[in-house]
């Protein structure tokens, strides 16, 4: 049995046991071996999940982000002591914040859900996740709201 069939069979078997509801993508050496989606994205089980369904991952993504950062550190492409302004110069207001602060959740940078109205508007009305430029814009606005304007 090929790997694509194996993945599909595994996903279906898990779904039948109420253990899987979602989308998958399995790749090897940069090539997609298997992808698909099973289950429903609503409690009424009327809207099926597709490969294009947007999921709200929230804190689940933290471990993957930290792993990616650690891999970059291993390759000496960044350091835990690098200031985030090295990578995001437009966040000059957060000059003292380092990669280590971000990984330890001690940066003081506001959570975009602390002022969720703008995020929810995009999520519900436009049916999309805010892009990086929108997140950076939020962070710049948040700094203005939290700290004195002379810091800008």
């Amino acid at each position: 049995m090929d790997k694509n069939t194996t993945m599909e069979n595994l996903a279906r078997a898990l779904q039948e046991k109420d253990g899987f509801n979602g989308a998958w993508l399995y790749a090897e050496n940069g090539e997609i071996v298997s992808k698909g989606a099973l289950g429903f994205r609503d409690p009424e089980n009327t809207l099926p999940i597709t490969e294009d369904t947007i999921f709200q991952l929230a804190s689940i993504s933290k471990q993957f982000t930290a792993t990616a950062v650690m891999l970059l550190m291993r390759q000496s492409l960044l350091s835990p002591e690098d200031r985030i302004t090295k990578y995001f110069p437009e966040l000059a207001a957060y000059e003292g914040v380092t990669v280590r602060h971000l990984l330890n959740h001690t940066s003081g940078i506001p959570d975009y859900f602390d002022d969720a109205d703008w995020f929810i508007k995009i999520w519900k009305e436009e049916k999309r996740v805010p892009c990086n430029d929108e997140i950076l814009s939020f962070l710049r606005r948040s700094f203005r709201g939290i700290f004195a304007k002379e810091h800008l």
Side-chain angles (χ1 to χ4, degrees):
M1 186 178 321
D2 68 2
K3 291 178 181 180
N4 179 46
T5 304
T6 299
M7 285 298 298
E8 287 178 1
N9 289 345
L10 176 63
R12 289 187 197 292
L14 288 171
Q15 185 193 34
E16 288 172 12
K17 295 179 182 179
D18 289 328
F20 180 74
N21 190 56
W24 77 88
L25 184 140
Y26 172 64
E28 288 182 357
N29 302 317
E31 299 293 323
I32 296 174
V33 175
S34 179
K35 65 179 183 169
L38 291 171
F40 297 94
R41 58 186 167 150
D42 66 324
E44 295 81 25
N45 294 331
T46 59
L47 300 171
I49 293 173
T50 69
E51 292 176 16
D52 296 322
T53 298
I54 297 173
F55 294 95
Q56 174 60 285
L57 297 179
S59 293
I60 292 173
S61 63
K62 290 177 182 176
Q63 62 192 325
F64 299 105
T65 301
T67 300
V69 169
M70 297 306 242
L71 289 170
L72 291 171
M73 286 181 193
R74 179 186 288 175
Q75 296 172 17
S76 298
L77 296 174
L78 64 78
S79 161
E81 304 315 317
D82 285 348
R83 293 174 184 251
I84 65 167
T85 51
K86 178 177 180 180
Y87 306 101
F88 302 100
E90 61 273 36
L91 295 180
Y94 299 97
E95 175 57 38
V97 177
T98 66
V99 171
R100 182 182 308 279
H101 290 132
L102 294 176
L103 289 172
N104 292 330
H105 307 282
T106 58
S107 69
I109 292 178
D111 184 338
Y112 57 82
F113 261 26
D114 287 349
D115 178 17
D117 291 344
W118 72 277
F119 186 91
I120 298 301
K121 180 178 187 274
I122 291 170
W123 177 266
K124 289 189 175 181
E125 293 177 18
E126 299 178 29
K127 307 235 184 300
R128 65 181 182 84
V129 175
C131 67
N132 290 343
D133 287 339
E134 290 166 318
I135 298 287
L136 291 171
S137 177
F138 163 77
L139 292 174
R140 287 191 301 273
R141 284 192 319 273
S142 294
F143 187 85
R144 287 187 191 106
I146 294 170
F147 302 101
K149 290 186 179 183
E150 62 265 15
H151 290 296
L152 299 175

